Structure formats: structure tokens, C-alpha cells
């Protein structure tokens, strides 16, 4: 059993910044290592973050694991491309080059269509709490674990990040401005939606976006929120930012979920107590990660304004036009395989429910999910 002695509790509160008495604090509190315990289990963990608050938060959190577990488990953090390329992370963990990864779930849509539904997509679920309903009350977490398990990975849990924005060399003030625009997007349904809107889309890891913008290989790029994008220097190679209408910062990826996944053999060899610790700790990390990024994002806007960057928002008419493009693409992707169909059906039920009310049957007349 984990001990609940005051010094350990104070240490965790100090290092994590969580409020006293929260369930997450109790779950992730450190324990005292038993005499004669085995050597420290060390995991190499690579993130998709190349820089900025995302990387800093990841590195700090990894550095806390050894002390929280009394020396039983240690995470060695690596930034994007340190050991394997960003788009090679999945295979790097699967093949044992890394023990675990913290990446963007959508990156794997090309090989696993269902993962396109494990992070937000154009006009789908729009706020973090809606994704939590999907994962924790609609069977989404187990569905994700089943999909990853078939590939030799254990999907521990989702990690909240935030909305994505678009940086561009020319202003984007309506959906019409995407026509013939050379645009970096993360792939999957998002790429197809922008292609239908007239953009010439390309897929690049986040660490390569600045160079592509600088060289003129692309005219514009979706990437994460303002804080990380400022750290990556996007203000040096673009003049404009485009977002969704007020209250919906991003139409195409308002909740850009990451996840934490572990090589299945590594996971199976972990003692049960540490398995429970890791599962609980990812929820703690998600909260820390989300809060740190939101704070940094809100502080970063003034930097862009001071740098002379023009910030534009799309209008409600654009929202409706994106919806008309997106809905048929949802169903095309849902019918790519049974896993995708199963996950999308759960999300469609949510979007049709009066609690959300995003979708009505007339919006997809003639379309169906093949289960």
C-alpha cells in the first residue's frame, strides 16, 4: 500500500501544483520504497513536442516520476525526433526502440483509420469535457485500448492539449481564402476537409513546419496553439493567424488530443502496483499539461499582436460551410474499418443527443455507418 505520510504529500503538492485533497493527488502520491526492492525500471519516453511549454511540461513531469515511485520507475524524456522521427514513434514503441510515447493520436490515421476519431476532427466533438464523456462513459477508452493492443501497444489514456490555429503568409478571413493555399495539416479527415475547401494540403511533423514556411514550400500551416507556435518562431515567417468564430477557437481541431502509449510487452512486465500508478499519473499529467498550455496560450497572444501579426476569425457562415463538407467525410472514414465505425457511432450518438445537438438526421440523409 502507498503510505500517506505528511512529508510525501507535501512534496507531491509542491511539485505538481495540484490542490490539496483532490483525488488525483491522492492517487499519484509517492510511496516509500520497500527494502530490497528491485533495481529502478527505466523507460525511454519520447514526446511529439519539439519546443515550448509542451516540451517543458513533459520534461518536468517525467523528472518527477522516479521520486514519486520511491525509485521504482523512471521516465527518461526525449523531445521530438531525438531517437526516432515524429511519424515513426508508433513503430518505435511497437518495436521496442522506445518503451513509451507521448504523441498526437491523429498521426496514426494513415495506418489506423480509427485513430482519426481519437482526437477532434472538423465540426465533431468540440470541447474537452465532451471527449471525456466519450472516453469515460461511452466506452471510448476501452475501444482505444483494443485498437492499440492489436498493434502491440497499451493505450494508457488521453492527454488534453488544446485547440490548433493556422499561421499564414496571406490573410485567411473566410473559407474561400483556402482555395489553392499550400497548407500543412495533420492528415486524416482534417486534410480531406481542407482539400474539399480547395487547399493543397501536405503532411509534415511539427518540427518541420517552420522550415517549410521559411522556404515557401507551404503558404500556411496548422499547428498547435499560440504559445508553442511562438516558441517555434512562426511569427518570423508568417503575418497572419486564422481561427474559428468566438467561442470555437478551431473549427477543425478544437481539442487536439495527445495520448500516452506503452510497448505491450513492457507494460505486461510492469508490476500491478506500477501499472495502476502509471494509469493514475497520466490523468494527473493531463491536468498539469492542459493547464500549463492554456495559461501560456493566453499570455502569448499579446506577443503576436506586438509583433504585428494580424489575427482573424472565420464567421458563422464559414462554420456552416465546413459542416456541409465535413459530414460526408465523417462517414467515409467511419466505414474504412470496423473499429472506426464502432468509435464514430458512439460519437454520433453523442452529437445527436440534445445535450450537444450538433447533428440532426437530415444532415446525413443517405449516409450510414457500416457496423
Amino acid at each position: 500500500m502507498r503510505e500517506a505520510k505528511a512529508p510525501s504529500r507535501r512534496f507531491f503538492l509542491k511539485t505538481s501544483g495540484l490542490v490539496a485533497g483532490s483525488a488525483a493527488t491522492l492517487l499519484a502520491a509517492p510511496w516509500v520504497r520497500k527494502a530490497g526492492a528491485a533495481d529502478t525500471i527505466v523507460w525511454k519516453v519520447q514526446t511529439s513536442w519539439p519546443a515550448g511549454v509542451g516540451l517543458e511540461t513533459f520534461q518536468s513531469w517525467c523528472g518527477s516520476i522516479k521520486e514519486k515511485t520511491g525509485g521504482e520507475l523512471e521516465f527518461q524524456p526525449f523531445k521530438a525526433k531525438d531517437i526516432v522521427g515524429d511519424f515513426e514513434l508508433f513503430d518505435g514503441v511497437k518495436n521496442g526502440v522506445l518503451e513509451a510515447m507521448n504523441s498526437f493520436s491523429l498521426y496514426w490515421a494513415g495506418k489506423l483509420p480509427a485513430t482519426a476519431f481519437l482526437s477532434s476532427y472538423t465540426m465533431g466533438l468540440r470541447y474537452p469535457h465532451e471527449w471525456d464523456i466519450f472516453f469515460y462513459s461511452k466506452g471510448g477508452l476501452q475501444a482505444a485500448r483494443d485498437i492499440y493492443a492489436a498493434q502491440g501497444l497499451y493505450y494508457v489514456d488521453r492527454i488534453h492539449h488544446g485547440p490548433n490555429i493556422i499561421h499564414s503568409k496571406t490573410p485567411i478571413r473566410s473559407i474561400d481564402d483556402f482555395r489553392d493555399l499550400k497548407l500543412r495539416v495533420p492528415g486524416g479527415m482534417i486534410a480531406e476537409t481542407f482539400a474539399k475547401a480547395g487547399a493543397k494540403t501536405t503532411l509534415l511533423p511539427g518540427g518541420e513546419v517552420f522550415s517549410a514556411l521559411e522556404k515557401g514550400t507551404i503558404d500556411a500551416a496548422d499547428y498547435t496553439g499560440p504559445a508553442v507556435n511562438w516558441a517555434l518562431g512562426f511569427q518570423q515567417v508568417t503575418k497572419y493567424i486564422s481561427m474559428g468564430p468566438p467561442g470555437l477557437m478551431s473549427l477543425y481541431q478544437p481539442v487536439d488530443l495527445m495520448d500516452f502509449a506503452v510497448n505491450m510487452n513492457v507494460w505486461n512486465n510492469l508490476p500491478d502496483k506500477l501499472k495502476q500508478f502509471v494509469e493514475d499519473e497520466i490523468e494527473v499529467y493531463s491536468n498539469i499539461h492542459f493547464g500549463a498550455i492554456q495559461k501560456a496560450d493566453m499570455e502569448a497572444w499579446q506577443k503576436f499582436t506586438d509583433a504585428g501579426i494580424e489575427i482573424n476569425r472565420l464567421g458563422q457562415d464559414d462554420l456552416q460551410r465546413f459542416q456541409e463538407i465535413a459530414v460526408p467525410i465523417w462517414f467515409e472514414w467511419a466505414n474504412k474499418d470496423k473499429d472506426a465505425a464502432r468509435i464514430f457511432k458512439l460519437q454520433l450518438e453523442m452529437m445527436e443527443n440534445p445535450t450537444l445537438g450538433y447533428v440532426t438526421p437530415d444532415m446525413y440523409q443517405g449516409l450510414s455507418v457500416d457496423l
Side-chain angles (χ1 to χ4, degrees):
M1 275 183 77
R2 305 177 196 176
E3 297 185 11
K5 294 181 179 179
S8 293
R9 183 175 175 81
R10 284 198 299 270
F11 167 79
F12 180 72
L13 290 171
K14 180 179 179 182
T15 56
S16 73
L18 295 177
V19 295
S22 70
T25 299
L26 292 172
L27 288 169
W31 55 76
V32 176
R33 191 175 187 180
K34 294 179 180 179
D39 292 338
T40 300
I41 298 169
V42 180
W43 286 3
K44 298 185 294 295
V45 186
Q46 185 172 312
T47 183
S48 286
W49 287 121
V53 63
L55 177 62
E56 293 161 7
T57 305
F58 170 76
Q59 290 172 328
S60 176
W61 169 70
C62 284
S64 73
I65 297 301
K66 187 173 183 179
E67 190 156 2
K68 287 178 182 176
T69 61
E72 292 188 34
L73 181 63
E74 178 181 355
F75 289 176
Q76 292 184 346
F78 296 89
K79 68 177 183 299
K81 301 195 292 186
D82 268 357
I83 296 180
V84 298
D86 214 19
F87 292 159
E88 283 73 56
L89 265 174
F90 196 99
D91 289 335
V93 175
K94 179 178 181 178
N95 297 328
V97 178
L98 295 154
E99 279 73 31
M101 66 176 179
N102 162 222
S103 189
F104 294 99
S105 307
L106 181 58
Y107 279 178
W108 322 124
K111 64 171 68 180
L112 295 171
T115 59
F117 295 101
L118 294 180
S119 183
S120 61
Y121 47 94
T122 311
M123 306 309 300
L125 300 179
R126 301 174 194 184
Y127 299 99
H129 73 276
E130 296 172 3
W131 282 94
D132 286 350
I133 293 169
F134 163 69
F135 276 105
Y136 305 127
S137 69
K138 294 286 287 182
L141 180 59
Q142 188 58 53
R145 287 178 174 174
D146 292 344
I147 291 162
Y148 276 55
Q151 301 296 317
L153 277 71
Y154 184 77
Y155 180 103
V156 180
D157 210 340
R158 59 93 185 103
I159 295 169
H160 279 306
H161 156 226
N164 286 5
I165 57 178
I166 293 175
H167 297 256
S168 62
K169 296 173 181 281
T170 57
I172 301 171
R173 301 188 179 108
S174 81
I175 190 173
D176 295 324
D177 293 326
F178 287 105
R179 191 171 295 119
D180 295 325
L181 193 75
K182 292 181 290 185
L183 175 67
R184 180 270 178 193
V185 285
M189 288 183 281
I190 295 168
E192 291 189 13
T193 301
F194 281 109
K196 290 280 188 181
K200 298 175 180 176
T201 64
T202 188
L203 178 61
L204 291 170
E208 297 178 18
V209 173
F210 178 91
S211 177
L213 285 167
E214 185 178 38
K215 294 175 181 176
T217 307
I218 55 177
D219 304 315
D222 139 86
Y223 195 48
T224 58
V228 171
N229 294 354
W230 176 270
L232 291 172
F234 288 5
Q235 70 281 359
Q236 300 170 32
V237 290
T238 59
K239 296 181 179 180
Y240 304 91
I241 289 174
S242 180
M243 299 190 291
L248 189 57
M249 189 167 155
S250 176
L251 297 180
Y252 62 95
Q253 217 171 2
V255 185
D256 188 12
L257 286 170
M258 304 181 82
D259 62 50
F260 192 89
V262 183
N263 174 283
M264 186 61 80
N265 290 331
V266 170
W267 181 259
N268 288 339
N269 287 328
L270 198 66
D272 288 343
K273 178 180 71 172
L274 287 177
K275 287 179 182 175
Q276 187 64 58
F277 168 81
V278 173
E279 290 185 350
D280 295 338
E281 185 65 19
I282 297 306
E283 181 63 33
V284 171
Y285 174 55
S286 178
N287 293 335
I288 296 170
H289 183 261
F290 183 71
I293 286 177
Q294 301 316 302
K295 179 177 185 293
D297 278 352
M298 295 180 79
E299 294 171 349
W301 288 116
Q302 190 61 46
K303 297 179 183 179
F304 284 104
T305 300
D306 292 345
I309 304 299
E310 180 179 305
I311 300 171
N312 297 298
R313 284 190 178 274
L314 301 178
Q316 291 296 324
D317 290 346
D318 297 306
L319 186 152
Q320 180 61 34
R321 292 171 68 185
F322 268 111
Q323 185 88 55
E324 292 169 358
I325 294 171
V327 171
I329 294 173
W330 296 351
F331 283 84
E332 289 172 13
W333 274 78
N335 289 321
K336 284 181 179 287
D337 66 26
K338 298 298 184 184
D339 288 328
R342 178 163 61 110
I343 289 178
F344 174 64
K345 186 67 164 57
L346 296 174
Q347 294 173 359
L348 182 62
E349 290 172 359
M350 288 180 60
M351 290 189 284
E352 284 191 282
N353 190 283
T355 296
L356 302 185
Y358 297 151
V359 177
T360 54
D362 61 290
M363 293 168 61
Y364 60 89
Q365 191 171 4
L367 302 172
S368 61
V369 180
D370 180 14
L371 290 172

